[in-house]
Amino acid sequence: GAIVTTLAPQRLSLDMSEAQRERLSREGIPYQKTVALSSGRYEVRLMVRAAGARSAGMASQRVEIPDLTSERLTLSSLFLMRAGEPRSAGGPAGVESSLVLSQARRRFRREEALHMRLYAYNPRRDAGGAASLTWQPRILRGGTAVVTGALEPMAVGEAQGPPIPHTSRMELGSLEPGDYEIEVTV
């Protein structure tokens, strides 16, 4: 319940076209801040207020920062994303659009693909330093799997280097509208 840190207020002035406003209405305004925290459980709160407005919007989410000194396999939170604006020519081969985080809304249309990303920390390594991890996502409704993704190998970085994010994609066209859960096994 104690306040650990408070970030300085950040102001954003938006002067945009109607098309840009519509895009922000669909995708939201990306916001990212980095704060050094020790392991433990936290609640992150964010407040937004339009200039001159009396009311404000607030969001909060509980997060757990794992203790990575245990040397046990630990997974990050699951980051949910959707395809964003098409990339310009000259981008990476095979990448048609950028990915947009969809953590706040967590709502997807059936014609969209769900992109999921996570990081694996402290994978078990053999005597030569190599590690082998696989990932398999499932979409559940009422505790029953309705879509099971393919078993995929995960890239693992160097033992002393940063973790490599693993991103996977699942099509949603076969799902009826409703609430679902995502389960990932590594």
Side-chain angles (χ1 to χ4, degrees), residues 61-66 74-80 103 106 116-121 135 166 184:
Q61 183 168 344
R62 294 182 188 274
V63 296
E64 182 174 350
I65 308 297
T74 304
L75 303 177
S76 71
S77 296
L78 191 60
F79 297 91
L80 305 180
Q103 294 297 99
R106 296 182 184 211
M116 300 162 283
R117 176 176 292 162
L118 65 69
Y119 296 79
Y121 302 92
W135 139 302
H166 180 76
V184 175

Side-chain angles (χ1 to χ4, degrees), residues 112-176:
E112 291 182 303
L114 169 64
H115 298 262
M116 300 162 283
R117 176 176 292 162
L118 65 69
Y119 296 79
Y121 302 92
N122 298 328
R124 186 176 310 157
R125 295 179 182 276
D126 64 19
S132 176
L133 294 178
T134 57
W135 139 302
Q136 186 170 37
R138 295 187 327 156
I139 297 178
L140 305 135
R141 186 163 196 183
T144 302
V146 292
V147 177
T148 300
L151 191 63
E152 303 172 11
M154 291 180 65
V156 178
E158 299 295 322
Q160 301 305 317
I164 296 175
H166 180 76
T167 304
S168 187
R169 169 187 165 135
M170 292 183 84
E171 297 296 329
L172 303 175
S174 66
L175 300 177
E176 294 297 320

